[in-house]
Amino acid sequence: ADAPVRIAVLSQDAVSASVCDRTTGFVDKMVEVASAYGTVSVEGHDKWAAKADGASIIIEVAVSATTEAVDVQNAANALLAKADLAAVFCSNEGTVTGFLSAVSDGEDLADGGKYADLIVAGFDAGAAQKNAVRNGWFYGSVTQDPYHIGYYAVEMAVAAANGEEVADKDTGAQWYNAENIDDPDIALLVYD
């Protein structure tokens, strides 16, 4: 508790179901994992806050004022100003873009850079994010599976048109990093 470590999640809003679910999932799992190492305090946005005194691990939830790139960058800069920041999870492509803007398009995350020791992970797979992963500036990212998103949508539409009952379906996601980004099963999923 005398030298807490801060792990942040950067989200571009607190209303979008998918972004909120990613943020909630990250916070819930990080609390579960981090609790094995000490007292965990969830701070930042009121929607997720669960402050604990004497915390050795702080999970900081940062939500930008709007979804505009400059506001996401400002939220990222506020996180980067915290001396105890050890890691950041960017919950979607918008937060990745804003975060990369705050770190000189990733250069500040490179070896010898101002934030070279910061662990960063993202979600989605735009060109800037793939570049950050390829360069090792991001530890890695999660990508959705656009093929199965489309496939299951058609499958369920046909079933519904035939009067069959349909339900939500997990379309899957994959972790990618510099080592596997070009693997055939991952390369198909990392889109621009």
Side-chain angles (χ1 to χ4, degrees), residues 34-123:
S35 292
Y37 299 95
T39 301
V40 178
S41 182
V42 181
E43 302 178 7
H45 196 279
D46 288 345
K47 185 172 188 159
W48 292 276
K51 193 161 174 57
D53 292 331
S56 54
I57 301 148
I58 299 166
I59 299 170
E60 177 92 17
V61 181
V63 179
S64 60
T66 73
T67 59
E68 296 296 320
V70 69
D71 287 332
V72 179
Q73 181 180 354
N74 289 338
N77 281 325
L79 286 174
L80 292 165
K82 298 183 182 285
D84 56 359
L85 185 64
V88 177
F89 170 64
C90 299
S91 65
N92 68 352
E93 187 65 25
T95 56
V96 166
T97 301
F99 185 81
L100 286 171
S101 293
V103 292
S104 305
D105 294 324
E107 293 291 331
D108 290 343
L109 299 169
D111 288 340
K114 185 176 181 179
Y115 304 108
D117 293 333
L118 189 63
I119 298 168
V120 184
F123 197 105

